[in-house]
Amino acid sequence: MYPKLSIITINYNNSDGLKQTIESVLEQTCQEFEYIVIDGGSVDSSIQHILAYQNRLKYWCSEKDSGVYNAMNKGIRQAMGEYLLFLNSGDFLCDDNVLEKVIPTLSGIDIVYGDILLKSASGETRALIYPDKLSVKYMFKDTIGLQHRLLNGACLLILYIRSILRLFRIGNFS
């Protein structure tokens, strides 16, 4: 049986951020997901963090790539989940229960999204609050970032075309 959710983390020379991201994923109370880490051949201590958790990763690699989107595509090729969450190194889930709340809602929805807290290096936080319903007008004016949306794998490649042609079946998750 395939997992409902694949979480993909990409990294390049962000050892501390990678460690924080991996720990936020693996400390989730709900473990019904597969976790994939793609490293772009980092020369810092990123590989040590990956190796420390490799037995809990579905897949990982550390090799030179041609950039962020190439790394994301490597992750997509390995993913078996119906939904994809891109949680890049340095990003983290805000508490240990996020996936416990989200995974049961993943059915019949193209995009699941939630608000985001931005934390500065000085520790200040700022919230990005998204509307309860997304519209085509909103998608032309603004966007929702990869860090706070789960994409149904079937819609990933045609996401932007479909948003122009019709409204999505969208569920908001706070």
Side-chain angles (χ1 to χ4, degrees):
M1 185 167 136
Y2 296 117
K4 192 67 134 176
L5 176 64
S6 297
I7 302 172
I8 301 169
T9 295
I10 62 170
N11 177 69
Y12 182 67
N13 287 333
N14 184 13
S15 176
D16 293 340
L18 179 62
K19 183 176 191 281
Q20 180 181 29
T21 303
I22 290 174
E23 289 174 351
S24 89
V25 170
L26 297 180
E27 291 172 358
Q28 290 295 298
T29 56
C30 175
Q31 293 287 306
E32 297 174 23
F33 60 87
E34 64 180 8
Y35 192 28
I36 297 164
V37 176
I38 307 295
D39 179 73
S42 295
V43 295
D44 64 0
S45 59
S46 293
I47 192 72
Q48 281 77 22
H49 297 306
I50 295 170
L51 291 171
Y53 296 104
Q54 70 179 338
N55 63 329
R56 299 190 56 200
L57 304 177
K58 185 240 179 193
Y59 175 85
W60 71 272
C61 70
S62 180
E63 61 191 17
K64 189 162 180 59
D65 55 47
S66 59
V68 172
Y69 297 109
N70 180 240
M72 292 171 93
N73 285 327
K74 286 180 186 181
I76 291 169
R77 282 192 293 274
Q78 295 300 320
M80 299 299 290
E82 183 178 345
Y83 289 84
L84 305 175
L85 170 59
F86 292 94
L87 195 66
N88 296 339
S89 65
D91 297 337
F92 56 92
L93 299 168
C94 66
D95 66 50
D96 296 346
N97 301 312
V98 171
L99 296 182
E100 186 175 319
K101 297 171 192 171
V102 172
I103 288 176
T105 70
L106 300 179
S107 181
I109 297 172
D110 289 323
I111 301 174
V112 178
Y113 65 97
D115 300 331
I116 186 170
L117 290 175
L118 300 173
K119 187 175 181 180
S120 70
S122 66
E124 294 177 43
T125 59
R126 179 173 64 99
L128 291 179
I129 309 296
Y130 293 97
D132 289 339
K133 282 195 165 206
L134 295 181
S135 65
V136 172
K137 181 179 177 181
Y138 180 85
M139 294 302 279
F140 275 112
K141 181 179 152 252
D142 291 300
T143 188
I144 52 176
L146 286 175
Q147 298 86 347
H148 38 285
R149 68 180 173 206
L150 301 170
L151 301 176
N152 181 304
C155 81
L156 185 62
L157 298 177
I158 55 173
L159 175 62
Y160 296 104
I161 294 169
R162 287 178 66 189
S163 69
I164 293 168
L165 299 176
R166 69 173 181 83
L167 296 178
F168 281 92
R169 297 180 314 269
I170 298 178
N172 180 13
F173 191 84
S174 297

